[in-house]
Amino acid sequence: MGTPGRLPPVEIMTFPEMETPRGLREQALELQRVAWPGLGGRRSHDPALRPVSMLLVEDGKVLASLDILSKEIVHAGVPYRAGGLSTVVAHLGARRQGHGRRLVRAARTAMAASGLDLGLFTCDRPLLPFYESAGWQHLPGTTLVGGTPSAPFPSDGPGFDKVTLGSFFTFTDHRSFVNARIDLYPGEIDKLW
């Protein structure tokens, strides 16, 4: 409990997904169930993608959460260590207070510090200004191809209105990532991160 008149501190906590303390993980999963009720509850990410959970917590309550997934990709003949955001969600009662933006910004910083070459992910088109305000840049005309090589799952598939965002941590010439099809292939569990 904090000092009277002072708000409890808001902190960002980071854990390998399966090492997230049970109570915090259950809260994050509940946020996901509320945000995406049709999914029937989120299962764990594919361990091959080295999932890391980031939580914005105030006085034991998860206000926002996201997961960072990563893998090596090859694009235009060059190998890259890539990561992406997945399951970004904020508590309904805590939205429009900057919590999600703070967490997404912190994830970008953590990804850069972790040794990744770049971050790539898609979002629904109306969320583009939100992610740009957190430091991510729009990659116009770029499609991420998820799924597997034998069962591709492109972000420009029928019924999708997705845009691709990126951040480049170890290089500045990112022209090959604009108006491109990028073979992400994260597998069958996390078809697109």
Side-chain angles (χ1 to χ4, degrees), residues 76-143:
V78 179
Y80 296 97
R81 294 176 312 266
L85 302 184
S86 180
T87 59
V88 178
V89 65
H91 190 283
L92 285 173
R95 291 190 180 162
R96 301 256 181 242
Q97 296 177 32
H99 299 309
R101 182 173 294 104
R102 177 177 172 191
L103 189 61
V104 167
R105 192 175 287 134
R108 185 178 165 277
T109 300
M111 291 167 75
S114 75
L116 293 175
D117 296 312
L118 71 153
L120 293 168
F121 66 98
T122 62
C123 73
D124 293 334
R125 188 173 304 278
L127 294 173
L128 178 60
F130 166 77
Y131 286 106
E132 287 179 318
S133 74
W136 292 87
Q137 73 182 86
H138 180 215
L139 301 176
T142 297
T143 298

Side-chain angles (χ1 to χ4, degrees), residues 42-59:
R42 179 72 171 116
R43 61 187 180 280
S44 299
H45 293 288
D46 186 338
L49 299 175
R50 301 180 294 276
V52 172
S53 295
M54 289 186 79
L55 312 169
L56 188 76
V57 180
E58 180 180 46
D59 200 24

